[in-house]
Amino acid sequence: MTQQALAERPGFGASESFEIVAQSAPEILAHVETVVCVPTFRRPDMLERTLRSLAAQRGAGPFAVIVVENEGKERAGAERACALFAEGLFEGLVIVEPRQGNCKAYNAAWRCALTRLPALRQIAGIDDDEEAEPGWLAAFLQAAASAPAELFGGSVTPRFEDPTRAWLGAHPIFRSHYSASGPIPMLYSSANYLIRREVLETLGFPYLDESFDFTGGGDSDFFRRAMAAGFRFWWVQEAVQRETMPARRTEADWVRARGYRNGAISARIERRSRPGTAGRLRVLAKSLALLAASPLRGLMLGLDTRSLTIGLYHAQVALGRLGTEFGVADEQYRVPEKN
């Protein structure tokens, strides 16, 4: 689809909120088929490790990087990215989306890719607290070239800053949803992904619903809409990233809040696909059923992982679902310092 055709799509005619602060020459961007999007917020040192891991990719061929800074004042991430860009570490663009919000950052990056890279075929993504293994992108591209799917996900391995908390790696919130390459029903997280261009063109801008900015779940909602549109999903176990888990994310209150949040997100997305009173009652019934089943499920999980903390997860999810019935919204991303 041409840039002119994109401009005629609903939403593309609106003025852009992001600012381009660095970019490669037009003749370079004109031939880019693959771009890696990197959202960042107040983590310049971790962002540099992420970008250096991208520079170390092997077997992927040429690709560009779009760094989207989501902190509009200090812009420490953008400054670091611009310095590395000037050193020749990567080709692509550095942009600033000053409106804080996870979904806003993704929307800016994806829109920038579609409207500035005319030869674009696919968009991959990595967060600024992750590092890609050297064969990460090559594994994705190999799958995208042959697999009957349009959306791809890869494994994320947690790396705990506090090694005494590494046992939390068995917790569902730190585990990937799948463990073997092949077709899957759906993706749930944008932590490690590759998306074919036609998916974004079909779903249209804004791609992620920005009402999920501070609760999380915008990616799950996006993938559910992609599934409803008939697109297919594939897991690439060999496309490996490592995610740094700071000590804060191993504290009991953070782990507990993440369980509540996951439940709230699942109920909220389900209600969207089941409108009306009957649909609301079905979602409520499922939440109550999950709560009733949580003691047995929690016991099994706790015995399997030898952890009471992990065993409480199913109850936390059920309570998080029920909380949304009373208007409770766990905006875990609202205060970045606590996340």
Side-chain angles (χ1 to χ4, degrees), residues 285-297:
K286 180 177 178 179
S287 298
L288 292 171
L290 288 173
L291 182 62
S294 64
L296 178 57
R297 297 180 70 199

Side-chain angles (χ1 to χ4, degrees), residues 60-201:
F63 64 94
V65 176
I66 295 179
V67 177
V68 53
E69 167 70 87
N70 198 211
E71 206 288 317
K73 295 182 179 179
E74 297 179 0
R75 301 187 175 194
E79 290 183 5
R80 184 69 60 89
C82 284
L84 296 171
F85 175 79
E87 293 176 9
L89 188 70
F90 65 92
E91 298 286 356
L93 302 96
V94 180
I95 67 176
V96 176
E97 168 53 85
R99 302 174 304 142
Q100 185 183 342
N102 179 270
C103 296
K104 290 183 178 67
Y106 276 99
N107 284 337
W110 292 354
R111 184 175 186 179
C112 179
L114 280 173
T115 56
R116 267 68 178 189
L117 307 175
L120 185 72
R121 298 183 63 187
Q122 54 256 328
I123 296 177
I126 184 170
D127 289 340
D128 65 351
D129 58 354
E130 296 171 341
E131 297 172 57
E133 293 287 352
W136 166 73
L137 188 56
F140 263 152
L141 294 177
Q142 182 178 359
S146 58
E150 296 78 31
L151 300 101
F152 302 81
S155 57
V156 178
T157 302
R159 182 173 56 194
F160 294 91
E161 285 188 341
D162 180 357
T164 67
R165 305 289 286 175
W167 56 271
L168 277 170
H171 198 295
I173 66 174
F174 296 117
R175 295 203 311 258
S176 295
H177 286 89
Y178 308 100
S179 59
S181 297
I184 54 175
M186 197 181 86
L187 290 171
Y188 299 92
S189 170
S190 60
N192 185 8
Y193 68 87
L194 184 141
I195 302 172
R196 302 292 298 206
R197 176 181 187 142
E198 55 264 32
V199 177
L200 300 180
E201 290 179 341

